[in-house]
Amino acid sequence: LVRLERAEKTYGTDVKIRALKPTDLEFRRGELVVVLGPSGSGKTTLLNLIGGLDRPSAGRVLVDGVSLGSLDPDALADFRRDKVGFVFQFFNLIPSLTARENVELAAELSGTADRIDPILEAVGLADRAGHLPGQLSGGEQQRVAIARALVKDPPLLLCDEPTGAVDFETGKAILGLLQEAVQRRGKTVLIVTHNSALAAMATRLIRLKDGAVASDEKRPSP
Amino acid sequence: LVRLERAEKTYGTDVKIRALKPTDLEFRRGELVVVLGPSGSGKTTLLNLIGGLDRPSAGRVLVDGVSLGSLDPDALADFRRDKVGFVFQFFNLIPSLTARENVELAAELSGTADRIDPILEAVGLADRAGHLPGQLSGGEQQRVAIARALVKDPPLLLCDEPTGAVDFETGKAILGLLQEAVQRRGKTVLIVTHNSALAAMATRLIRLKDGAVASDEKRPSP
Ligand SMILES: Nc1ncnc2c1ncn2[C@@H]1O[C@H](COP(=O)(O)OP(=O)(O)OP(=O)(O)O)[C@@H](O)[C@H]1O
Ligand SMILES: Nc1ncnc2c1ncn2[C@@H]1O[C@H](COP(=O)(O)OP(=O)(O)OP(=O)(O)O)[C@@H](O)[C@H]1O
Ligand SMILES: [Mg+2]
Ligand SMILES: [Mg+2]
């Protein structure tokens, strides 16, 4: 489903920062990939390249056989809307819309409006649905971001630190939803995180270090 | 140094959300207080009341004997600038200023400009100092927020999930700095977090549940 061919990302002109060094990777359908790595190792950069939010400085990113670099801005926006559910590291909620409205907007854009209540309930936000982001705790905002990605029912879920702002119990519930998306709905889920406790749920565990893949192992379904 | 007398915070008009129920608490100088609690339990609310970023719906918050509710807006702003170093849950960096400039601004406002380099180094950001927040990873942004609070050298450090965005190793370094602030410089440090691993460093451990203190224990210095 996802393939990186010598994909890399470099910032800066005289002092070059190699956020991601040339990387080859392949992810299949129904894989729950956990990418572990310390702060600054390139996790968000990798996810942004796969989700088409950023273009590689060199190399190619292919999703479903389509090279993202070959798409014009409209086609790339369509791809992101239809193929990818993104849970951002800092949520990116629309501040003037309530929790429910933030989720509805994503559903509307991809036509799945009847799934909103069950999903808000599944992330424990049924009684906070009418709050604006500014009226929500950090962990509640994160859960709106998760609901918004799930409601689109996309084939590819890209999650940047999806449990960073919540406690262990709430985190388990969120991770359960992501695991269910893989095991019951056949999605491909990529979770990037600095939290090694999440490694246990991976069917594929990749370690990132200084912008490069340090190890890549397949594991039995937990 | 800090005292809460029946301090509470309630939101909403017909449906009332009791973010913090009437709470009595007292913190002394040189205490490293860790406040643990699940998502939505009132941690950020508690911290905002102590730091004067928010007013209680009822009850009083006193710092150094002064009731924050008795201060006019200017006096409250002076208090926050001089007495409190705040590490926000979502950093609140100024997007148009570099990492260094964000820290300099805090130093300028409280006159401690010569401490900037050592502090940037202590949080591991020496070679990212010229980046804007948008050019920093999540964990790097968090470290700028920490540096900004430390550089003011305030008597009271209030930290909302100070290691939420970083890996274990980076987190240890940050917590080491906070511990040093208490042990060597006699500060009062309050860390609120959902991460129970931080409990080990507390000389005072408070558990919050549904807006109320569930337990409050003193502990020997670790
Ligand atoms: N726009 C940019 N310009 C310059 N450098 C950048 C830019 N964006 C990211 N970087 C650098 O690239 C490196 C990798 O960043 P990235 O956000 O991918 O890390 P990360 O693994 O997600 O870290 P964290 O766990 O802290 O979120 C970082 O050192 C960062 O400073
Ligand atoms: N402005 C507001 N209006 C209404 N409700 C609010 C407002 N701000 C916070 N709340 C509610 O108060 C409760 C406590 O919020 P708080 O931010 O203190 O939680 P927290 O313990 O910091 O959670 P987290 O770990 O998720 O950051 C939450 O349930 C939240 O929905
Ligand atoms: Mg990141
Ligand atoms: Mg909070």
Side-chain angles (χ1 to χ4, degrees):
Chain A
L1 182 62
V2 178
R3 198 156 90 226
L4 276 73
E5 294 176 353
R6 310 288 297 154
E8 60 175 288
K9 187 74 185 177
T10 303
Y11 293 107
T13 37
D14 20 84
V15 179
K16 292 204 180 306
I17 292 174
R18 310 197 68 198
L20 192 72
K21 294 165 186 164
T23 298
D24 294 316
L25 275 177
E26 205 174 308
F27 303 121
R28 300 179 187 287
R29 290 182 189 286
E31 268 191 317
L32 203 162
V33 187
V34 174
V35 179
L36 278 187
S39 176
S41 54
K43 301 183 295 299
T44 296
T45 302
L46 173 67
L47 220 58
N48 288 347
L49 291 183
I50 294 171
L53 287 172
D54 211 353
R55 290 180 186 278
S57 314
R60 299 202 300 164
V61 178
L62 301 103
V63 181
D64 252 351
V66 179
S67 167
L68 301 189
S70 69
L71 300 177
D72 63 51
D74 286 338
L76 194 58
D78 288 346
F79 158 75
R80 282 198 301 259
R81 186 195 58 216
D82 301 333
K83 290 267 152 56
V84 187
F86 220 114
V87 183
F88 294 94
Q89 186 166 8
F90 298 112
F91 320 152
N92 291 22
L93 302 182
I94 299 184
S96 52
L97 297 183
T98 66
R100 166 176 284 278
E101 290 167 341
N102 265 281
V103 180
E104 278 173 351
L105 185 62
E108 219 170 297
L109 294 177
S110 52
T112 43
D114 53 326
R115 295 158 43 82
I116 292 177
D117 279 319
I119 282 178
L120 282 173
E121 191 139 346
V123 296
L125 286 181
D127 57 353
R128 289 285 184 274
H131 287 226
L132 295 173
Q135 298 167 329
L136 293 172
S137 78
E140 289 163 350
Q141 291 175 34
Q142 181 153 54
R143 285 180 269 162
V144 179
I146 307 250
R148 192 175 55 169
L150 286 174
V151 81
K152 291 174 26 162
D153 206 24
L156 180 60
L157 272 167
L158 304 178
C159 314
D160 200 340
E161 307 278 8
T163 58
V166 300
D167 53 288
F168 186 62
E169 286 305 316
T170 312
K172 282 206 309 196
I174 290 172
L175 297 172
L177 289 173
L178 296 174
Q179 224 159 3
E180 191 179 22
V182 173
Q183 290 164 2
R184 282 199 214 159
R185 308 179 68 92
K187 297 187 187 305
T188 306
V189 173
L190 239 114
I191 297 175
V192 311
T193 180
H194 61 260
N195 182 358
S196 52
L198 274 64
M201 61 187 289
T203 58
R204 180 92 178 272
L205 185 63
I206 293 173
R207 290 181 190 275
L208 218 54
K209 191 169 175 350
D210 294 326
V213 172
S215 69
D216 182 350
E217 51 169 318
K218 272 194 167 42
R219 296 159 135 236
S221 196
Chain B
L1 180 62
V2 178
R3 198 156 89 228
L4 275 74
E5 293 176 354
R6 311 288 297 154
E8 61 174 289
K9 187 73 185 176
T10 303
Y11 293 108
T13 36
D14 21 82
V15 179
K16 294 207 179 303
I17 293 176
R18 311 196 67 197
L20 192 72
K21 294 164 186 165
T23 298
D24 294 316
L25 274 177
E26 205 174 309
F27 303 122
R28 300 179 188 289
R29 292 183 187 285
E31 268 191 317
L32 202 162
V33 188
V34 173
V35 180
L36 276 188
S39 178
S41 54
K43 302 183 294 298
T44 296
T45 302
L46 173 66
L47 220 59
N48 287 347
L49 290 182
I50 294 171
L53 287 170
D54 212 352
R55 289 180 186 279
S57 315
R60 299 201 301 164
V61 178
L62 302 102
V63 181
D64 252 351
V66 178
S67 166
L68 300 190
S70 69
L71 300 178
D72 63 52
D74 285 338
L76 195 57
D78 287 345
F79 158 75
R80 282 198 300 260
R81 186 196 59 219
D82 300 332
K83 290 268 149 65
V84 189
F86 220 114
V87 183
F88 295 93
Q89 187 167 9
F90 297 112
F91 322 149
N92 291 22
L93 302 183
I94 300 184
S96 52
L97 297 183
T98 66
R100 166 175 284 278
E101 288 167 341
N102 264 282
V103 179
E104 277 172 350
L105 185 61
E108 219 169 301
L109 293 176
S110 52
T112 44
D114 53 327
R115 295 160 41 81
I116 293 178
D117 278 321
I119 282 179
L120 282 174
E121 191 139 347
V123 297
L125 286 181
D127 58 351
R128 289 285 183 272
H131 286 227
L132 295 174
Q135 298 167 329
L136 292 172
S137 79
E140 291 165 350
Q141 291 175 34
Q142 182 153 52
R143 285 179 268 162
V144 178
I146 308 247
R148 192 176 54 170
L150 286 175
V151 80
K152 291 174 24 160
D153 206 22
L156 180 60
L157 271 166
L158 304 178
C159 313
D160 200 341
E161 308 278 7
T163 57
V166 300
D167 53 288
F168 185 63
E169 287 303 317
T170 312
K172 283 207 308 197
I174 290 172
L175 298 173
L177 289 173
L178 296 174
Q179 224 159 4
E180 190 179 23
V182 173
Q183 290 162 1
R184 282 200 215 158
R185 307 179 68 93
K187 297 187 186 307
T188 306
V189 172
L190 239 114
I191 298 175
V192 310
T193 180
H194 61 260
N195 183 358
S196 52
L198 274 64
M201 61 188 288
T203 57
R204 180 91 178 274
L205 185 62
I206 293 172
R207 289 182 191 275
L208 218 54
K209 192 173 176 346
D210 294 325
V213 173
S215 70
D216 182 350
E217 51 169 318
K218 273 193 166 43
R219 294 158 135 238
S221 197

